Amino acid sequence: MAKVLIYGTHVCPYCRMAERLLEKKGASMEKVMVDENPARRDEMIRLTGRTSVPQIFIGDTHVGGYTELAGLERAGRLDMLLKS
């Protein structure tokens, strides 16, 4: 299964929703809490060009946020991406 990296914060409800969806799929995640480490927030912005959380990577693919992740699930493409 592909490595999943989530940049998030402790207070973000969309981060929790993304984590629950990925847990349901059996994905193991590395969580980077950008509210604890401003340097990691800068890293997230540099990698994604976005300032909002969550920002989700599956393998080398930047998925985007929860809305994009849920869209992949609705389209039936999330499982394929997780298995790559």
Side-chain angles (χ1 to χ4, degrees):
M1 187 162 281
K3 176 184 166 190
V4 177
L5 174 66
I6 298 181
Y7 290 92
T9 65
H10 288 35
V11 297
C12 167
Y14 291 99
C15 298
R16 299 296 85 69
M17 291 175 5
E19 290 170 12
R20 281 194 299 273
L21 175 56
L22 290 162
E23 286 169 356
K24 183 177 112 176
K25 295 292 183 177
S28 63
M29 294 166 274
E30 177 186 348
K31 299 180 216 174
V32 176
M33 296 298 157
V34 299
D35 52 350
E36 294 177 351
N37 188 337
R40 297 301 300 264
R41 179 180 292 275
D42 293 341
E43 172 186 277
M44 177 192 80
I45 294 168
R46 181 178 46 78
L47 291 172
T48 67
R50 297 180 180 184
T51 59
S52 62
V53 291
Q55 291 303 316
I56 304 161
F57 287 84
I58 298 176
D60 293 331
T61 302
H62 176 232
V63 171
Y66 174 74
T67 302
E68 292 87 357
L69 182 71
L72 287 171
E73 173 67 356
R74 281 191 305 277
R77 297 188 346 228
L78 181 55
D79 289 333
M80 182 176 59
L81 187 58
L82 286 168
K83 289 178 183 169
S84 63

